[in-house]
DNA sequence: ACTATTTGATATGGTCCATAACAATTATCG
DNA sequence: CGATAATTGTTATGGACCATATCAAATAGT
């Protein structure tokens, strides 16, 4: 039985590899921290978008999150079945569904935001250092936007 | 038809969200840059590990990459069917398969490394700035390791 | 020698992502 | 106006990736 660690080679110097590894860790921690309200990162992002963009339909919400419309249907079904949001028929266009947060949805989102801040992001900031957090976020945003 | 952009709200300030978005972009660009040798990020990481750790078996390679043994079987099948690596019976333990790079595998890896460096990483470094790249990599590695 | 463990493998199910197609509705424009 | 095109939500479907249980062969442990 060989107990020796394997050499990562040039993987340690690959931004993409380290980026993916970090992302998996962060999402895993997010799930643990937000477990009390039972929201995935994707569901959390949907609730935030609904809160900040009232009166929008499914397509608009989905596409701004990079979710394809067909895949957004089941996501909304899950949130709506838990009473966190509602589909309403638009009076101006009877094809589209306007998605709105319910009171329960707003309350859940508030709890989730608090959990994310106090448990998840706080620990993350402490890890990388307060003085580096904004630079990190800025670089990641640049990559996400302009790469 | 509303042409207005939606507000991202507190998503813009969420490290996890931006991290994921950046990761998707980076992997997408990796695929484009490495398309001439037809390797996914995961396959590339396997080849690198094989090159740096001769004489190891499937389980050791897979687990260091965070790949579960059952899922590694098909991955190796694909690489082996392309003649990039080979499974050899270990003389010391006839249960395990030692995985080795073939000459073609080494050549392909060399081409891939060159493509990654000159097209992929170079552009990424240029985007975030040479002076920031190491700090970025270091923070991501810290998150991946200690979070 | 008998049991427990390990290794590669198969089967299977879940989640996420992507495309095609469809009915209902609305927009286009001849 | 009316025929055609485009849009919206939806379903169906398939692929990629991830996780668990299980198995036969081989080895380790006692």
């Amino acid at each position: 039985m060989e107990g020796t660690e394997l050499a990562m080679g040039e993987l340690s110097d690959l931004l993409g590899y380290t980026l993916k590894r970090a992302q998996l860790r962060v999402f895993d921690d997010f799930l643990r921290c937000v477990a009390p309200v039972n929201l995935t990162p994707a569901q959390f992002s949907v609730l935030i978008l609904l809160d900040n963009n009232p009166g929008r339909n499914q397509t608009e919400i989905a596409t701004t999150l990079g979710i394809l419309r067909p895949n957004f249907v089941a996501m909304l079904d899950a949130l709506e079945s838990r009473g966190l949001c509602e589909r309403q028929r638009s009076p101006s266009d009877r094809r589209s569904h306007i998605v709105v947060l319910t009171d329960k949805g707003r309350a859940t989102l508030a709890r989730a935001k608090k959990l994310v801040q106090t448990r998840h992001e706080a620990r993350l900031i402490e890890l990388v250092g307060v003085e580096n957090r904004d630079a990190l976020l800025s670089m990641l945003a640049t990559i996400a936007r302009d790469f």
Side-chain angles (χ1 to χ4, degrees), chain A:
Chain A
M1 126 182 12
E2 283 289 338
T4 325
E5 288 282 315
L6 271 65
M8 297 292 291
E10 32 275 284
L11 279 188
S12 316
D13 207 48
L14 249 200
L15 269 172
Y17 181 80
T18 315
L19 192 55
K20 168 109 186 206
R21 270 275 133 85
Q23 188 263 315
L24 290 176
R25 282 278 180 128
V26 169
F27 266 44
D28 196 67
D29 184 78
F30 184 97
L31 276 181
R32 275 201 313 273
C33 293
V34 182
V37 292
N38 203 37
L39 287 178
T40 67
Q43 290 173 325
F44 181 70
S45 69
V46 170
L47 294 188
I48 286 194
L49 227 64
L50 292 182
D51 194 35
N52 286 89
N53 301 277
R56 299 298 189 140
N57 64 25
Q58 296 186 200
T59 301
E60 293 173 309
I61 301 289
T63 57
T64 42
L65 287 175
I67 304 173
L68 294 171
R69 280 72 78 204
N71 300 327
F72 193 55
V73 175
M75 273 197 69
L76 259 198
D77 289 346
L79 293 175
E80 195 172 16
S81 73
R82 289 170 57 185
L84 302 180
C85 66
E86 275 180 14
R87 290 182 239 228
Q88 300 177 351
R89 302 221 76 95
S90 164
S92 61
D93 187 341
R94 291 178 27 201
R95 288 170 298 183
S96 60
H97 292 167
I98 286 178
V99 191
V100 299
L101 272 186
T102 62
D103 288 343
K104 184 180 175 187
R106 253 178 298 275
T108 301
L109 177 56
R111 272 193 72 193
K113 278 196 213 170
K114 217 163 272 175
L115 290 171
V116 168
Q117 283 305 326
T118 63
R119 301 192 179 177
H120 176 68
E121 284 268 323
R123 230 185 92 233
L124 198 40
I125 292 174
E126 185 190 16
L127 181 64
V128 302
V130 201
E131 69 279 12
N132 298 319
R133 193 213 99 112
D134 286 3
L136 174 58
L137 184 66
S138 168
M139 282 191 275
L140 293 175
T142 299
I143 294 173
R145 187 173 4 94
D146 304 330
F147 194 48

